[in-house]
Amino acid sequence: MSLSAALLADASPSPSPSESPTVTVPTLQDAQESATNAASWVEQNWSTWLAIGLRVLLIVVIAVVLRKVVLRAITKLIDRMNRTVESVDGTALGGLLANAERRHQRSQAIGSVLRSVASFMILGTAALMVLSTFQINLAPLLASAGVAGVAIGFGARNLVTDFLSGVFMILEDQYGVGDQIDAGVATGEVIEVGLRVTKLRGADGEIWYVRNGEVKRIGNLSQGWATAGVDVTVKPTEDLDRVKTTLTEVAERMSKEEPWNELLWSSIDVVGLDSVLLDSMVIHLTARTMPGKKIAVERELRWRIKRAFDAANIQMVGGAAIPPEDLPADSSATVAAPSVFSNSDSPQSVATTPIAGQGRAAGK
């Protein structure tokens, strides 16, 4: 290139910054090429995406159908349990079972727990299978879920313990609404049963909220039957045959009268002497009663025994006061009080000493 050409090139005007660059407009050939590439990509991958979509759809359909089948089976199982219990109502076994409200609440609680567990397992498994269909690596997700589960387990271990204890308590039917129970930490009537907390009504009307995980033992006073026991204490001088005959008459009369004939599930038995002491004898009576009616039967039996003993003139220890004429004589009443003159140092003895001395001097 010559010098003049170089100078002309340097002298040519350069584009100013304000001027915008020219926009390249795609041609029809470029559009055709892009469409061809997209069509070829779809043609190469449509079968893969179709297979993935069909697999996801199949997983969802199977999960939904399986969930409905399992939930319906659980519902039928709960209904069958209720019908089985209702079929024995009015029989000897029916009297030992829970009432209708308790059976309904227990069945509803069991059904709710089973449905929740089944839904969680089925839907959770389906979600993991869908993610694996999209070639997503589940190892980090499962590892994170495991770590989170361990952290939650340590942080909320009391909550988990309460929940699991409530589930097993309901499944095993340890107690229900209306039962009188002794939970160790509290005693009273069950007014509400939950998976985490049980509510008890105490004897003074207070409400106890007992966590299911804190209950180590349960004493249910409303299941099966109860035993009423009464101890009768009489004087050791009473005739045992007459006392037993009176108690037997009271027991037979009470067993035939209403409503005690329904509350008593066995005859009132005079077991015999529990103890014989110097000043008393203890006779024990026992009877099997309806659950929760033990105290009422014991109070009525004591009432009737006291009235029968008063009519038969049988003295009970701790009853009426003993008449004064029957009290033993006081042995110390026949002993005279000691004389003050027996002590030579007493003031009375000292006061009489000069008088005795003057008498002796006058005799001399």
Side-chain angles (χ1 to χ4, degrees):
M1 180 182 294
S2 60
L3 180 60
S4 60
L7 293 174
L8 291 174
D10 293 336
S12 61
S14 59
S16 62
S18 61
E19 296 180 356
S20 61
T22 59
V23 179
T24 303
V25 179
T27 62
L28 181 60
Q29 184 179 0
D30 295 335
Q32 290 178 351
E33 184 178 356
S34 299
T36 303
N37 294 333
S40 62
W41 183 86
V42 171
E43 182 179 3
Q44 293 176 1
N45 296 279
W46 74 271
S47 59
T48 303
W49 285 103
L50 180 61
I52 292 176
L54 291 177
R55 187 178 302 174
V56 171
L57 181 61
L58 182 62
I59 292 174
V60 172
V61 170
I62 292 177
V64 172
V65 173
L66 181 61
R67 179 174 177 271
K68 288 185 177 180
V69 171
V70 172
L71 294 184
R72 181 174 298 180
I74 293 174
T75 302
K76 290 184 177 180
L77 177 62
I78 298 301
D79 294 340
R80 182 177 299 178
M81 291 173 56
N82 291 334
R83 288 195 301 268
T84 302
V85 174
E86 291 174 358
S87 63
V88 298
D89 284 344
T91 62
L93 180 60
L96 302 179
L97 299 176
N99 53 29
E101 180 183 359
R102 174 177 170 180
R103 290 198 303 267
H104 178 71
Q105 291 186 355
R106 178 170 175 260
S107 62
Q108 291 297 327
I110 294 175
S112 176
V113 172
L114 294 179
R115 292 187 190 96
S116 300
V117 172
S119 299
F120 177 78
M121 294 181 62
I122 294 174
L123 297 181
T125 304
L128 294 178
M129 293 178 65
V130 169
L131 293 178
S132 64
T133 303
F134 288 100
Q135 304 298 324
I136 298 177
N137 188 10
L138 299 179
L141 179 62
L142 295 177
S144 302
V147 173
V150 172
I152 293 174
F154 277 107
R157 58 184 181 273
N158 292 332
L159 181 62
V160 175
T161 302
D162 297 339
F163 180 81
L164 293 179
S165 299
V167 170
F168 283 105
M169 179 271 300
I170 293 176
L171 292 177
E172 296 173 359
D173 192 22
Q174 297 178 5
Y175 54 86
V177 175
D179 287 353
Q180 290 284 342
I181 67 170
D182 180 3
V185 294
T187 302
E189 179 183 356
V190 180
I191 60 176
E192 185 177 341
V193 178
L195 293 178
R196 192 182 69 88
V197 175
T198 298
K199 293 182 182 180
L200 303 178
R201 174 79 65 181
D204 297 330
E206 69 276 11
I207 296 180
W208 297 97
Y209 294 84
V210 181
R211 289 170 43 197
N212 295 328
E214 295 293 329
V215 179
K216 304 302 180 183
R217 62 164 179 83
I218 290 292
N220 196 324
L221 307 179
S222 300
Q223 287 183 353
W225 43 266
T227 302
V230 174
D231 291 330
V232 180
T233 306
V234 298
K235 295 174 62 176
T237 57
E238 296 292 343
D239 186 2
L240 286 178
D241 295 333
R242 192 163 68 98
V243 172
K244 184 176 181 181
T245 301
T246 305
L247 293 176
T248 304
E249 292 176 355
V250 172
E252 292 178 353
R253 190 181 306 111
M254 182 175 175
S255 300
K256 296 178 181 179
E257 296 180 1
E258 294 182 356
W260 311 109
N261 54 354
E262 297 180 359
L263 302 182
L264 290 169
W265 286 8
S266 69
S267 60
I268 302 176
D269 298 328
V270 181
V271 179
L273 285 175
D274 265 9
S275 62
V276 179
L277 304 177
L278 294 177
D279 57 347
S280 64
M281 296 187 302
V282 179
I283 304 173
H284 186 68
L285 291 84
T286 183
R288 186 173 296 181
T289 68
M290 182 183 295
K293 302 300 180 180
K294 167 188 173 181
I295 298 178
V297 172
E298 290 178 348
R299 289 173 177 173
E300 181 66 18
L301 186 57
R302 293 190 188 97
W303 183 283
R304 292 172 178 260
I305 290 174
K306 180 62 172 65
R307 294 179 60 182
F309 277 12
D310 291 343
N313 196 21
I314 299 176
Q315 184 66 48
M316 297 179 64
V317 176
I322 301 176
E325 57 271 13
D326 294 341
L327 293 175
D330 189 2
S331 58
S332 62
T334 58
V335 179
S339 176
V340 294
F341 295 100
S342 61
N343 186 6
S344 59
D345 297 332
S346 63
Q348 291 81 0
S349 299
V350 173
T352 57
T353 300
I355 298 175
Q358 292 177 1
R360 287 193 296 272
K364 292 179 180 179

